[in-house]
Amino acid sequence: MALKMVKGSIDRMFDKNLQDLVRGIRNHKEDEAKYISQCIDEIKQELKQDNIAVKANAVCKLTYLQMLGYDISWAAFNIIEVMSASKFTFKRIGYLAASQCFHEGTDVIMLTTNQIRKDLSSPNQYDTGVALTGLSCFVTPDLARDLANDIMTLMSHTKPYIRKKAVLIMYKVFLKYPESLRPAFPRLKEKLEDPDPGVQSAAVNVICELARRNPKNYLSLAPLFFKLMTSSTNNWVLIKIIKLFGALTPLEPRLGKKLIEPLTNLIHSTSAMSLLYECVNTVIAVLISLSSGMPNHSASIQLCVQKLRILIEDSDQNLKYLGLLAMSKILKTHPKSVQSHKDLILQCLDDKDESIRLRALDLLYGMVSKKNLMEIVKKLMIHVDKAEGTTYRDELLTKIIDICSQSNYQYITNFEWYISILVELTRLEGTRHGHLIAAQMLDVAIRVKAIRKFAVSQMAMLLDNAHLIASNTQRNGICEVLYAAAWICGEFSEHLEEANQTLEAMLRPKVTTLPGHIQAVYVQNMVKLYASILQQKEQAGEKEAAQEITQLMIERLPQFVQSADLEVQERASCILQLIKYIQKLQVKEVPVAEEVIALFAGELNPVAPKAQKKVPVPEGLDLDAWINEPPSDSESEDEKPKTIFHEEEQRHSRHRQPEIDEEELARRREARKQEQANNPFYIKSSPSPQKRYQDTPGVEHIPVVQIDLSVPLKVPGMPMSDQYVKLEEERRHKQKLEKDKKKKKQKKEKRGKHHRHNSLHTESEEDIAPAHHVDIITEEMPENALPSDEDDKDPNDPYKALDIDLDKPLADSEKLPVQRHRNVETLKSPDSEAPLVEKKSKKPKKKEKKHKDKERDKGKKKEKEKKVVEEEEEEVKKGEDLDFWLSTAPPAAPTPQPQSEPGMGTAVVAESQVVKKEEREEQDEEEEDEGKKSSKHKKKKHKKEKEEKSKDKKKSKKKSHHSEEEPPESVQNGTLEDEPLPPMSSYRLLAENPYIKMTYDIQGNLQNDSQVTVSVIFENKSTSFLKSMELNVLDSLNTKMLRPEGSSVHDGIPVPFQLPPGISNEAQFVFTLQSIVMAQKLKGTLSFIVKNDEGSTHEKLDFKLHFSCASYLITTPCYSDAFAKLLESGDLHMSSIKVDGISISFQHLLAKICFHHHFSVVERVDSCASMYSRSIQGHHVCLLVKKGENSVSIDGKCNDSTLLSNLLDEMKETLSKC
Amino acid sequence: MINAILVFNNHGKPRLVRFYQHLAEEVQQQIIRDTFHLVLKRDDHICNFLECGSPQPCPCPHSLFGGSDYKLIYRHYATLYFVFCVDSSESELGILDLIQVFVETLDKCFENVCELDLIFHMDKVHHILQEMVIGGMVLETNMNEIVAQVEAQGKLEKAEGGLSAAPSRAVSAVKNINLPEIPRNINIGDINIKVPNLSQFM
């Protein structure tokens, strides 16, 4: 046996641990994958072993491999095994692995529910912590539902360490199980005022996350957050709150007004850049939400811009970046204040950091005006030339196009300039954005009629130089511009001066190397060109020239007919035949030009990209109705004639109905047509496929522009945008001079009247008239549709489910599912949930009334605001109101009301009166309780006020009300008093000799109604090495030690560790029991080998293991309602004891009972307390503890009288020791 | 919310991978690679933020992280990159400070942390991180508090005898003898790190 153990530990010695694995991987750089697969095989072997330490080690290694990208989901079950190990070390490894690889699809995850619940209620705070951390990563809807109540209980844990974790995890629970939000919210809100700053910060964190997604539901918390903002000194919390306010202000501009002052103060006072930055951001949000032009806020804008300028000028690139980011937000509403920093922004364009350059570009987008557009674009063009790397250059290109085309070309005064910019951009090598340039060219040429002539000339030039574009950038998108060029030249061929030349350019053999879709456009548009040349020549009577051009087409077109591209081939062969036919006619001297040109007559109108989607369904059209009734399957062929007949009948009858109001329909149709005819944006259904001529109503509304050309349209050679800049400047100068003259005249005429133009030298936007009147045709849209109409939001938004009204009082049904006691025998014990519901059903009625009042109040709110508030009571009510808070003038004095809704707090506090035992950590908790008390006093006060208001208070409710007033923490094991508790340990001495000391503790097993776990701490007191420890007990009929399968009842269980001198370690042994009503004693022996320099000796130590009745009890929280119901049920036996000579305080007394006898306090009033516990076999044990002068009396009730009397005896013993 | 925390070295080898939402291992590795290539291109003197919508291929495409408002915030210490992927609810400078706290905490827990510590004690690094961030939300920013909790748990582990009992520790000490000497040249503690206003912040 001893040999087996030694062998086991030798085996373990040669197991790889994590470090060995890492080292091995590093030493096998060449064949890493092979090595790792070897390791995985080893791990699989290790996982098959029974030893939990070996398993844990294996799982730890797996976690490392997961990081390297190996799937470890196959080991999910083993991970759960390690998670359920009793040792913290292993547990932590298990939970870490689970958090890395578990997810909703992991099927074994459902096995973890009980384990996690057990860990959550573990007396060791780190077990709980580890479970919470793990849960945060892999919580599923099922887990969330099953554990929500447990986690909510932990939010009131005595340890802030657990509280803050529990609070954070609630967010994950909300996401997975939205129903839990409303029941848990009051407590979450409570945590905003937790004495521990960490818990407070966690609560702020969670509420901010929630509010960010659905801000409107959290507006009522604004006063509370405002108070936190003005009182907190934790920058993390401040940042979160300030960010939250940024999300709330758009919903409530009055909130913004209130915020400005404290935020401004913070901006002035804080030295933390992060906080300063967030303050500035929120001030900006506030300013955006307020109607612009409020004079007193210009100071705030100035302050923000100033601070941002400091950030941007900072040498720290991060601050510079963020400064620019925030600046762009101001820009949207207050462009003027940003524009004055144009120098700074342009400077940033030269920054070596690309991210900063891009931010600066974004800013430029908003900074352009009619006045400075050309200048800015010129600067950008220089950057385009300088730019290294295509990505940044492409970004510049798109930005230039964005800047110029923004808001319908609003800032472009000279389109010739813009076209030449576009043409210049085509010279960029290797850009991906050819299609963008092409789209712009098309858009401008189509929508700005005045520019067509110029555009056509430029495009012709592009076509002529196509070899430059197409040759060296074959693969790049720039040849896309040829697409636009060909189309523009074809469509607007009437403006072309040397059409022949362009046509020839388009017929060059090189064209066939272009992408198919471009060739297709070429083919189509060369016909348009051809048609217009033909007409020209025919009109001029140059028949030969006309035939020549036809001949040219016939000669060159075949190269397209041979194209591999279907589209090109089809068009080309079709057109070739057409032209051959034309040639025939030409030979016969028939004039054909008119007919050919008619092929392309009419104008294409621009249509908005979203137009198709927005076409409304015409009145009376049901898209879901069958056009033809679907044949029904069940009918056999024989019956067919009948059905037809039947159908006809139906059709007939259906037909008749419209006939009745045929007139009405006709009238409507007429009206609609009329309406459509008057609506220029409606896409008409044209009766003939032929396109309309210009005089049709579709384009009639577009005024044909008369241009007074002050700029020569044709610029020789390749265009240079700079020329236009110069021309434009000259023009503007001239204009200005003229205006000045006029103004002077005006001034003489109307003196004193004019106050618009204070300074003559700053041109305002309006002063710059465009070079010529440009008519920008709006894109067509169906009636009633706006291009800006927002498309439907994503319906799969996970946060949508959390859009829950939190101000409504809780309904009966809204409760977190509470774990049901599975082992409870229905006969003996009442269901703990039934009384809860019953009792509660009375309460909400009252609440509902309150709520109704409240709603009425809300309805009246607006009126009330206008009225002078007369009644004092009214005022108190309104004090809870957000509106009231917002309308109060001094922002520094927010109402100290922690709960804005009186109805809701009460319900949940009472419901969740869950008390947890946490004795070992009690001392830490003392300080917090002091803090809590003060805040509680406040709460109590408010509640009293409220209660006075509710006149229909019933006596019978007194008890539950009482418990409501006393929040759960106050009764937590009676630690309300200030005096510290003496340290307590539940570990009792088992046996001791000079070598070793054993102490033990027995705990019930939640999962199994007939098992208890005995934890034994072995402490090596000697200077020798203790090993091969083996523990054995003599089983009784009732109580047996759980031994590994296959071993005999006389075998001992090896202790899974060895003890070096002075070291102690804990091992756990499981015992099975049948009856638990009596205490038990088991004799046992520990055998071990003492090894020192002199050699080893075999030693033994006998002990008696005492299973007290208390060790069968499990600390179980109980609600006061359920407790009351339980007592009333009458199923319980009663017994009582009295102990005299008690000198310790009541608090200590309760603590002792809680600790040593595994009870929890249900309620405590003065020197009287009710307590509850449950045995592993489901017995309910209720106690009423009363303290007299020097005595304590305990009345107990329990399902089993023997158990009760034994328990009370044990208690007596404990208490008499005091 | 923090969506992911990645630590990798100058060669892109992952040292700590923590995603706060489930992604398949291949996707995780792809993200690590993409992120690495993104930050590698940036020299140390440019800003520490990378936003989606920049011209580079976005490391956190919408399909992966379900939103467009994610950004990468990173710091480069000696041989290691610490990258946090966060959404717009986090303060950029706050996260930078958080990274700093993380590294300082590592430094304290490992006593002059170097890359090797992270390599060989990935589990411990995870445990430290778990005291700072859970489920993508910041739990604690106070270094002393974090260190105290980590140490308390360390003690607990020691009391339990650790993962491997004493003898196998001895064996691994023996194994260590054969290890080729790896220079501990990645001292983070010695490198002067510029943090904006750390002292005021925390």
Side-chain angles (χ1 to χ4, degrees):
Chain A
M1 200 162 32
L3 190 70
K4 206 168 98 191
M5 270 199 55
V6 172
K7 197 168 161 265
S9 64
I10 287 177
D11 277 348
R12 284 203 52 204
M13 274 162 46
F14 292 107
D15 282 346
K16 281 195 195 85
N17 61 17
L18 175 62
Q19 282 73 35
D20 300 329
L21 174 78
V22 175
R23 203 170 288 127
I25 293 174
R26 286 165 71 87
N27 288 339
H28 290 79
K29 285 223 167 81
E30 291 82 37
D31 52 349
E32 191 182 293
K34 196 178 145 207
Y35 179 77
I36 289 178
S37 77
Q38 235 171 47
C39 289
I40 290 180
D41 287 341
E42 282 170 23
I43 288 171
K44 280 182 179 161
Q45 286 306 315
E46 286 166 30
L47 287 176
K48 278 181 195 152
Q49 291 187 39
D50 283 331
N51 191 330
I52 193 71
V54 176
K55 270 188 192 165
N57 184 39
V59 166
C60 185
K61 288 190 277 183
L62 280 179
T63 314
Y64 182 82
L65 294 179
Q66 195 274 344
M67 180 179 78
L68 299 182
Y70 289 85
D71 177 27
I72 62 164
S73 54
W74 51 268
F77 187 76
N78 302 106
I79 291 172
I80 292 180
E81 282 182 303
V82 176
M83 275 162 73
S84 43
S86 54
K87 274 196 187 180
F88 170 74
T89 314
F90 303 153
K91 199 180 278 301
R92 184 158 73 160
I93 291 169
Y95 272 105
L96 176 62
S99 71
Q100 289 289 63
C101 76
F102 281 15
H103 54 96
E104 277 180 35
T106 309
D107 43 5
V108 290
I109 210 165
M110 60 190 183
L111 300 177
T112 59
T113 316
N114 277 324
Q115 179 58 42
I116 295 173
R117 178 173 288 135
K118 193 176 141 196
D119 289 335
L120 289 181
S121 58
S122 161
N124 181 344
Q125 64 161 332
Y126 292 115
D127 282 353
T128 314
V130 154
L132 284 173
T133 309
L135 199 58
S136 72
C137 291
F138 58 76
V139 62
T140 63
D142 283 344
L143 281 177
R145 190 194 55 233
D146 294 341
L147 297 172
N149 198 46
D150 302 65
I151 300 171
M152 197 166 99
T153 310
L154 290 180
M155 281 165 72
S156 309
H157 198 273
T158 49
K159 283 273 182 182
Y161 177 74
I162 299 298
R163 283 209 301 277
K164 65 184 177 189
K165 283 197 170 188
V167 166
L168 282 184
I169 278 142
M170 273 323 267
Y171 177 66
K172 294 276 171 172
V173 173
F174 295 152
L175 277 183
K176 298 289 178 188
Y177 179 55
E179 290 87 338
S180 62
L181 178 58
R182 279 175 42 75
F185 193 70
R187 184 169 298 189
L188 182 61
K189 212 162 88 176
E190 206 178 283
K191 294 294 137 197
L192 285 176
E193 296 184 293
D194 196 278
D196 184 85
V199 180
Q200 206 179 39
S201 152
V204 168
N205 210 338
V206 169
I207 293 187
C208 287
E209 276 300 326
L210 289 168
R212 199 164 66 92
R213 307 293 181 173
N214 301 295
K216 64 177 190 312
N217 299 337
Y218 298 86
L219 260 180
S220 61
L221 288 181
L224 188 53
F225 276 115
F226 191 85
K227 201 179 93 187
L228 279 177
M229 183 178 79
T230 44
S231 61
S232 178
T233 51
N234 181 339
N235 282 350
W236 259 102
V237 173
L238 281 175
I239 287 176
K240 284 276 170 195
I241 294 175
I242 287 166
K243 266 184 164 285
L244 173 68
F245 276 133
L248 291 181
T249 42
L251 302 169
E252 182 52 89
R254 282 178 297 170
L255 176 64
K257 275 185 212 161
K258 235 179 152 68
L259 283 173
I260 286 275
E261 197 189 314
L263 285 179
T264 322
N265 291 342
L266 265 177
I267 291 177
H268 282 301
S269 64
T270 186
S271 54
M273 276 301 179
S274 43
L275 184 57
L276 172 88
Y277 174 69
E278 295 306 337
C279 284
V280 169
N281 254 335
T282 298
V283 170
I284 294 168
V286 168
L287 293 175
I288 290 171
S289 74
L290 294 174
S291 52
S292 54
M294 293 199 79
N296 51 337
H297 289 130
S298 60
S300 308
I301 302 166
Q302 277 315 311
L303 177 68
C304 288
V305 175
Q306 236 172 54
K307 288 280 175 186
L308 290 179
R309 185 169 177 117
I310 293 171
L311 289 188
I312 296 172
E313 281 171 339
D314 199 288
S315 60
D316 185 335
Q317 297 285 350
N318 291 329
L319 297 182
K320 200 187 273 278
Y321 176 87
L322 293 175
L324 289 170
L325 198 65
M327 204 66 125
S328 65
K329 286 178 196 158
I330 300 188
L331 188 71
K332 279 171 202 142
T333 47
H334 302 89
K336 289 251 168 72
S337 16
V338 181
Q339 271 162 12
S340 54
H341 299 282
K342 199 177 76 189
D343 56 317
L344 190 63
I345 314 280
L346 284 174
Q347 225 175 347
C348 288
L349 272 187
D350 297 319
D351 200 285
K352 57 188 182 300
D353 187 347
E354 193 172 301
S355 316
I356 286 175
R357 290 200 301 259
L358 291 172
R359 283 283 143 224
L361 271 180
D362 278 351
L363 269 173
L364 280 181
Y365 174 83
M367 287 175 65
V368 290
S369 61
K370 281 182 181 167
K371 200 176 102 188
N372 63 15
L373 175 74
M374 285 184 167
E375 183 199 335
I376 287 178
V377 172
K378 185 178 168 188
K379 195 134 194 188
L380 291 181
M381 291 298 281
I382 294 169
H383 276 279
V384 170
D385 288 338
K386 279 197 299 190
E388 299 158 12
T390 49
T391 43
Y392 179 58
R393 204 165 54 185
D394 279 358
E395 187 63 21
L396 272 170
L397 190 153
T398 46
K399 266 280 127 58
I400 290 174
I401 289 179
D402 279 354
I403 286 174
C404 292
S405 64
Q406 65 175 309
S407 32
N408 226 356
Y409 307 103
Q410 189 191 341
Y411 301 118
I412 295 186
T413 50
N414 188 329
F415 276 93
E416 283 96 9
W417 165 81
Y418 185 43
I419 292 273
S420 40
I421 286 283
L422 288 175
V423 173
E424 268 178 53
L425 286 176
T426 64
R427 280 182 242 148
L428 272 186
E429 268 176 46
T431 177
R432 287 182 292 121
H433 292 303
H435 60 278
L436 257 180
I437 305 174
Q440 281 294 298
M441 285 173 170
L442 285 171
D443 200 45
V444 172
I446 293 167
R447 295 175 57 191
V448 186
K449 281 189 175 184
I451 203 65
R452 282 180 193 164
K453 195 173 167 64
F454 177 74
V456 166
S457 70
Q458 292 297 321
M459 293 306 118
M461 205 149 20
L462 270 185
L463 287 179
D464 208 28
N465 295 314
H467 56 281
L468 292 177
I469 292 166
S471 65
N472 49 4
T473 54
Q474 177 78 48
R475 303 238 152 200
N476 282 306
I478 199 65
C479 56
E480 287 291 326
V481 297
L482 293 177
Y483 177 100
W487 191 87
I488 292 170
C489 285
E491 187 65 22
F492 308 118
S493 50
E494 68 268 22
H495 299 296
L496 212 52
E497 285 183 4
E498 304 208 28
N500 269 354
Q501 205 184 329
T502 309
L503 185 62
E504 261 183 72
M506 287 171 81
L507 283 166
R508 280 183 205 141
K510 193 101 194 189
V511 173
T512 52
T513 59
L514 288 172
H517 66 285
I518 298 179
Q519 282 187 59
V521 168
Y522 263 69
V523 172
Q524 189 73 10
N525 283 285
M526 62 180 66
V527 191
K528 292 183 196 165
L529 263 180
Y530 166 75
S532 86
I533 296 171
L534 206 61
Q535 190 187 33
Q536 219 180 316
K537 301 287 176 200
E538 261 185 31
Q539 275 167 0
E542 300 170 35
K543 279 178 195 160
E544 268 107 70
Q547 281 177 350
E548 246 170 58
I549 204 85
T550 311
Q551 190 56 39
L552 179 75
M553 288 290 276
I554 289 173
E555 274 168 24
R556 298 282 181 84
L557 269 176
Q559 62 183 339
F560 294 108
V561 177
Q562 292 158 6
S563 169
D565 191 282
L566 198 66
E567 180 86 14
V568 180
Q569 196 189 42
E570 196 174 8
R571 286 186 195 214
S573 52
C574 193
I575 285 160
L576 186 60
Q577 289 311 311
L578 180 76
I579 291 181
K580 278 182 182 163
Y581 181 66
I582 294 170
Q583 195 181 31
K584 269 188 202 162
L585 292 175
Q586 273 181 332
V587 174
K588 290 179 192 163
E589 304 216 344
V590 181
V592 284
E594 278 306 315
E595 270 107 8
V596 178
I597 211 116
L599 281 176
F600 307 105
E603 188 159 340
L604 293 171
N605 290 335
V607 175
K610 284 182 189 166
Q612 185 69 41
K613 226 166 56 185
K614 303 254 160 125
V615 176
V617 179
E619 215 178 316
L621 174 66
D622 181 5
L623 287 174
D624 293 329
W626 289 104
I627 296 171
N628 294 308
E629 288 296 328
S632 97
D633 302 334
S634 59
E635 281 154 350
S636 65
E637 278 188 45
D638 304 340
E639 285 170 293
K640 243 190 174 173
K642 210 183 161 189
T643 26
I644 287 169
F645 175 70
H646 188 65
E647 249 189 338
E648 273 177 339
E649 268 237 315
Q650 270 191 332
R651 222 179 281 157
H652 190 67
S653 62
R654 234 190 291 148
H655 200 66
R656 223 188 277 155
Q657 207 147 10
E659 263 180 353
I660 299 166
D661 38 9
E662 186 82 355
E663 262 180 83
E664 167 68 18
L665 262 188
R667 206 162 46 75
R668 269 194 234 158
R669 207 175 296 137
E670 203 48 46
R672 201 166 63 231
K673 268 188 190 163
Q674 195 66 37
E675 196 186 308
Q676 286 166 6
N678 293 335
N679 187 338
F681 301 115
Y682 191 81
I683 303 175
K684 276 95 194 165
S685 58
S686 45
S688 72
Q690 249 199 357
K691 283 175 253 154
R692 278 145 204 277
Y693 289 86
Q694 285 212 346
D695 54 357
T696 52
V699 276
E700 207 175 27
H701 72 287
I702 305 166
V704 180
V705 183
Q706 311 297 323
I707 323 170
D708 172 27
L709 287 179
S710 60
V711 183
L713 278 185
K714 189 161 191 242
V715 180
M718 283 294 238
M720 278 298 292
S721 52
D722 287 355
Q723 291 174 321
Y724 292 96
V725 177
K726 264 185 209 157
L727 286 169
E728 182 70 15
E729 272 164 11
E730 280 170 23
R731 189 182 65 83
R732 283 186 193 174
H733 187 65
K734 245 192 245 169
Q735 250 180 12
K736 216 177 101 184
L737 284 180
E738 274 172 35
K739 266 204 179 152
D740 285 355
K741 268 185 211 163
K742 271 188 199 167
K743 248 182 236 161
K744 271 175 199 164
K745 273 184 203 166
Q746 278 178 340
K747 265 198 176 171
K748 277 173 197 166
E749 284 162 15
K750 325 172 187 178
R751 252 174 134 190
K753 260 190 179 179
H754 264 265
H755 42 84
R756 266 198 308 161
H757 306 284
N758 291 338
S759 59
L760 285 171
H761 292 286
T762 50
E763 292 176 273
S764 71
E765 286 284 273
E766 299 79 16
D767 286 344
I768 305 166
H772 38 259
H773 262 288
V774 181
D775 176 53
I776 302 168
I777 304 169
T778 343
E779 292 165 320
E780 295 196 345
M781 279 294 262
E783 50 189 322
N784 299 333
L786 287 170
S788 59
D789 278 356
E790 250 187 73
D791 298 317
D792 288 330
K793 281 180 185 170
D794 181 18
N796 297 329
D797 184 10
Y799 305 102
K800 227 178 176 178
L802 285 180
D803 189 0
I804 298 167
D805 184 6
L806 293 162
D807 292 340
K808 257 197 293 180
L810 283 170
D812 294 351
S813 53
E814 286 186 278
K815 267 191 301 177
L816 292 180
V818 182
Q819 183 197 11
R820 295 205 175 222
H821 303 152
R822 275 186 292 154
N823 305 329
V824 176
E825 290 166 54
T826 36
L827 250 180
K828 278 184 177 177
S829 56
D831 191 344
S832 64
E833 273 194 68
L836 248 176
V837 179
E838 215 177 292
K839 261 214 151 178
K840 296 205 86 191
S841 60
K842 288 176 202 162
K843 269 194 268 166
K845 272 183 200 161
K846 199 179 89 189
K847 264 186 273 151
E848 249 163 38
K849 256 187 201 167
K850 268 193 198 170
H851 178 59
K852 270 179 196 164
D853 288 353
K854 183 98 193 152
E855 290 229 287
R856 239 179 286 138
D857 279 358
K858 273 187 185 166
K860 284 182 198 164
K861 228 180 273 161
K862 282 191 181 167
E863 297 169 20
K864 273 185 191 167
E865 268 173 352
K866 287 173 198 162
K867 284 181 195 168
V868 186
V869 187
E870 293 167 359
E871 288 175 54
E872 234 183 61
E873 209 185 86
E874 286 271 79
E875 221 168 36
V876 176
K877 264 190 189 172
K878 276 191 131 191
E880 294 153 14
D881 218 340
L882 180 67
D883 285 282
F884 178 72
W885 177 73
L886 286 168
S887 55
T888 47
T895 14
Q897 181 71 345
Q899 283 162 325
S900 56
E901 293 288 338
M904 73 195 291
T906 50
V908 177
V909 174
E911 187 189 345
S912 53
Q913 282 244 346
V914 184
V915 184
K916 263 219 46 116
K917 175 179 153 262
E918 203 57 63
E919 222 69 358
R920 270 171 252 180
E921 295 129 15
E922 220 137 46
Q923 276 171 323
D924 310 32
E925 150 203 355
E926 295 296 325
E927 313 153 32
E928 298 156 28
D929 269 1
E930 277 175 68
K932 265 181 210 164
K933 257 172 48 186
S934 62
S935 71
K936 241 169 265 152
H937 280 310
K938 261 192 228 162
K939 269 186 216 164
K940 268 192 200 169
K941 251 189 197 170
H942 287 298
K943 283 214 173 113
K944 267 178 197 157
E945 277 170 28
K946 273 175 234 153
E947 268 170 344
E948 274 160 23
K949 270 186 278 162
S950 61
K951 286 160 194 164
D952 53 345
K953 203 162 65 175
K954 283 176 192 169
K955 265 196 176 175
S956 64
K957 295 244 169 65
K958 213 179 170 185
K959 196 177 174 186
S960 63
H961 265 283
H962 189 84
S963 69
E964 283 162 21
E965 279 182 78
E966 204 102 351
E969 300 95 320
S970 66
V971 285
Q972 204 121 60
N973 302 334
T975 49
L976 199 63
E977 268 98 307
D978 295 343
E979 48 186 309
L981 282 170
M984 285 189 274
S985 167
S986 63
Y987 282 81
R988 280 172 293 173
L989 184 68
L990 184 60
E992 195 174 8
N993 69 8
Y995 296 109
I996 194 162
K997 180 182 173 186
M998 292 193 285
T999 49
Y1000 75 109
D1001 180 39
I1002 305 174
Q1003 276 177 332
N1005 189 336
L1006 260 178
Q1007 264 78 52
N1008 197 321
D1009 59 6
S1010 59
Q1011 276 188 5
V1012 289
T1013 307
V1014 179
S1015 313
V1016 185
I1017 298 176
F1018 301 87
E1019 188 188 341
N1020 186 348
K1021 290 162 69 187
S1022 68
T1023 51
S1024 320
F1025 200 89
L1026 301 184
K1027 55 184 217 173
S1028 300
M1029 289 186 283
E1030 203 170 275
L1031 186 121
N1032 201 359
V1033 292
L1034 273 173
D1035 293 349
S1036 72
L1037 272 178
N1038 190 43
T1039 313
K1040 293 182 169 65
M1041 183 155 81
L1042 202 67
R1043 295 178 168 85
E1045 256 178 77
S1047 52
S1048 106
V1049 284
H1050 305 296
D1051 282 348
I1053 292 188
V1055 179
F1057 47 79
Q1058 301 173 326
L1059 284 180
I1063 296 295
S1064 64
N1065 202 348
E1066 183 173 322
Q1068 293 185 319
F1069 305 91
V1070 179
F1071 287 79
T1072 56
L1073 311 138
Q1074 279 166 359
S1075 164
I1076 59 157
V1077 296
M1078 301 239 277
Q1080 318 260 340
K1081 273 184 188 167
L1082 288 187
K1083 278 186 183 173
T1085 316
L1086 177 81
S1087 60
F1088 53 95
I1089 293 172
V1090 182
K1091 195 182 173 191
N1092 50 24
D1093 302 339
E1094 294 142 34
S1096 5
T1097 49
H1098 205 265
E1099 292 286 339
K1100 265 186 176 183
L1101 176 60
D1102 292 333
F1103 57 83
K1104 258 186 191 171
L1105 199 53
H1106 180 78
F1107 292 87
S1108 65
C1109 283
S1111 55
Y1112 306 136
L1113 295 185
I1114 297 170
T1115 313
T1116 314
C1118 182
Y1119 303 129
S1120 57
D1121 315 34
F1123 188 77
K1125 193 74 190 170
L1126 200 61
L1127 290 178
E1128 286 163 20
S1129 68
D1131 297 335
L1132 307 179
H1133 303 272
M1134 198 183 143
S1135 182
S1136 53
I1137 51 161
K1138 193 170 179 190
V1139 186
D1140 290 321
I1142 303 283
S1143 53
I1144 60 163
S1145 70
F1146 190 52
Q1147 176 218 354
H1148 284 189
L1149 188 101
L1150 290 183
K1152 270 199 177 327
I1153 297 176
C1154 287
F1155 187 67
H1156 291 297
H1157 299 276
H1158 303 175
F1159 275 85
S1160 63
V1161 178
V1162 179
E1163 243 178 79
R1164 180 186 160 184
V1165 187
D1166 300 330
S1167 57
C1168 198
S1170 51
M1171 305 179 92
Y1172 175 80
S1173 188
R1174 199 169 64 89
S1175 77
I1176 52 172
Q1177 293 183 353
H1179 303 96
H1180 298 279
V1181 190
C1182 308
L1183 296 182
L1184 183 65
V1185 185
K1186 284 185 222 155
K1187 187 172 185 322
E1189 201 55 16
N1190 267 323
S1191 65
V1192 175
S1193 67
I1194 301 176
D1195 296 318
K1197 278 193 171 188
C1198 177
N1199 306 87
D1200 191 295
S1201 56
T1202 327
L1203 178 65
L1204 181 63
S1205 63
N1206 284 327
L1207 276 171
L1208 288 178
D1209 287 346
E1210 285 171 15
M1211 235 170 270
K1212 200 168 180 176
E1213 202 182 332
T1214 317
L1215 294 179
S1216 58
K1217 281 182 202 157
C1218 299
Chain B
M1 285 274 279
I2 299 169
N3 235 281
I5 295 172
L6 310 173
V7 180
F8 44 74
N9 72 359
N10 287 348
H11 306 289
K13 286 256 190 240
R15 296 301 177 215
L16 177 84
V17 177
R18 172 85 270 181
F19 284 91
Y20 290 104
Q21 72 184 68
H22 176 73
L23 294 171
E25 274 76 14
E26 312 86 72
V27 184
Q28 293 188 357
Q29 294 299 314
Q30 185 60 45
I31 291 177
I32 296 169
R33 274 195 297 274
D34 291 350
T35 314
F36 168 65
H37 288 303
L38 279 179
V39 294
L40 188 68
K41 272 189 263 171
R42 304 168 65 86
D43 69 61
D44 283 348
H45 305 293
I46 61 181
C47 74
N48 298 108
F49 313 119
L50 266 166
E51 262 180 279
C52 298
S54 51
Q56 293 97 342
C58 173
C60 43
H62 303 186
S63 55
L64 292 180
F65 281 137
S68 56
D69 66 345
Y70 290 99
K71 60 187 87 168
L72 297 178
I73 298 173
Y74 73 96
R75 272 184 183 280
H76 187 199
Y77 294 99
T79 59
L80 292 172
Y81 285 97
F82 288 73
V83 186
F84 281 46
C85 176
V86 303
D87 68 15
S88 62
S89 72
E90 300 295 342
S91 147
E92 291 89 346
L93 294 173
I95 292 293
L96 274 183
D97 287 350
L98 188 71
I99 299 179
Q100 175 71 18
V101 170
F102 183 36
V103 174
E104 281 181 24
T105 310
L106 287 176
D107 197 46
K108 208 159 187 178
C109 291
F110 285 108
E111 288 160 16
N112 277 339
V113 69
C114 68
E115 192 186 338
L116 281 178
D117 291 321
L118 271 72
I119 296 172
F120 285 106
H121 302 282
M122 178 211 68
D123 48 346
K124 194 171 174 193
V125 180
H126 265 293
H127 297 145
I128 294 168
L129 182 63
Q130 280 175 358
E131 296 303 323
M132 291 182 67
V133 181
I134 57 173
M137 282 176 293
V138 178
L139 177 71
E140 185 60 65
T141 52
N142 181 341
M143 183 169 69
N144 294 331
E145 171 71 16
I146 299 166
V147 172
Q149 297 297 353
V150 169
E151 277 173 358
Q153 292 177 53
K155 262 183 211 154
L156 187 59
E157 187 177 336
K158 225 172 228 170
E160 285 178 350
L163 177 54
S164 43
S168 55
R169 265 176 207 252
V171 171
S172 78
V174 173
K175 286 186 211 162
N176 273 339
I177 295 170
N178 301 327
L179 187 76
E181 188 62 34
I182 308 164
R184 285 177 65 102
N185 56 350
I186 329 158
N187 199 327
I188 293 175
D190 292 349
I191 288 164
N192 193 14
I193 306 144
K194 191 171 148 254
V195 193
N197 298 290
L198 184 75
S199 52
Q200 291 102 338
F201 187 82
M202 287 304 153

